[in-house]
Amino acid sequence: MKPALREQILTIIAEIPAGRVTTYGRIAAMTDGGTPRLVARALRDLPQGHDLPWFRVITASRRLADHPGAIEQRARLVSEGVLFDGGGRVASEVLWP
């Protein structure tokens, strides 16, 4: 991945406000040539100890992606007041931007 694209992706993620979420696709659409898979790759490659709100990025179906950190992701979102329905979907009202 080109460093400029990675920087765009990480900058967008840093701007997601508490209590809100956005999708891999929405982040990709805000970049110059990004794709949802490249957004996921940028998140996967984050170093230990970073302070980016990675947990505020969800799938287009408004569900959490299937990954090892999904339990922690859900707990962090709930602690910020994000609600999930019975099917595990986040309310559309909390989508950003």
Side-chain angles (χ1 to χ4, degrees):
M1 175 184 319
K2 294 180 180 179
L5 177 57
R6 178 179 164 77
E7 186 63 31
Q8 285 180 352
I9 291 169
L10 298 182
T11 298
I12 293 165
I13 292 169
E15 294 174 357
I16 305 169
R20 304 292 296 274
V21 297
T22 196
T23 67
Y24 297 94
R26 285 180 182 220
I27 293 170
M30 291 185 255
T31 67
D32 295 325
T35 66
R37 287 184 185 217
L38 287 175
V39 173
R41 181 175 163 195
L43 285 169
R44 186 179 58 243
D45 293 344
L46 287 171
Q48 290 290 338
H50 68 84
D51 61 352
L52 285 176
W54 60 271
F55 55 91
R56 295 181 186 141
V57 183
I58 62 172
T59 67
S61 63
R62 299 194 335 260
R63 290 186 170 91
L64 305 183
D66 184 19
H67 60 85
I71 293 171
E72 177 184 355
Q73 181 179 17
R74 183 181 178 101
R76 285 184 179 218
L77 290 173
V78 168
S79 75
E80 291 187 347
V82 175
L83 301 176
F84 291 82
D85 67 16
R89 294 170 57 121
V90 171
S92 60
E93 297 83 41
V94 299
L95 284 175
W96 176 87

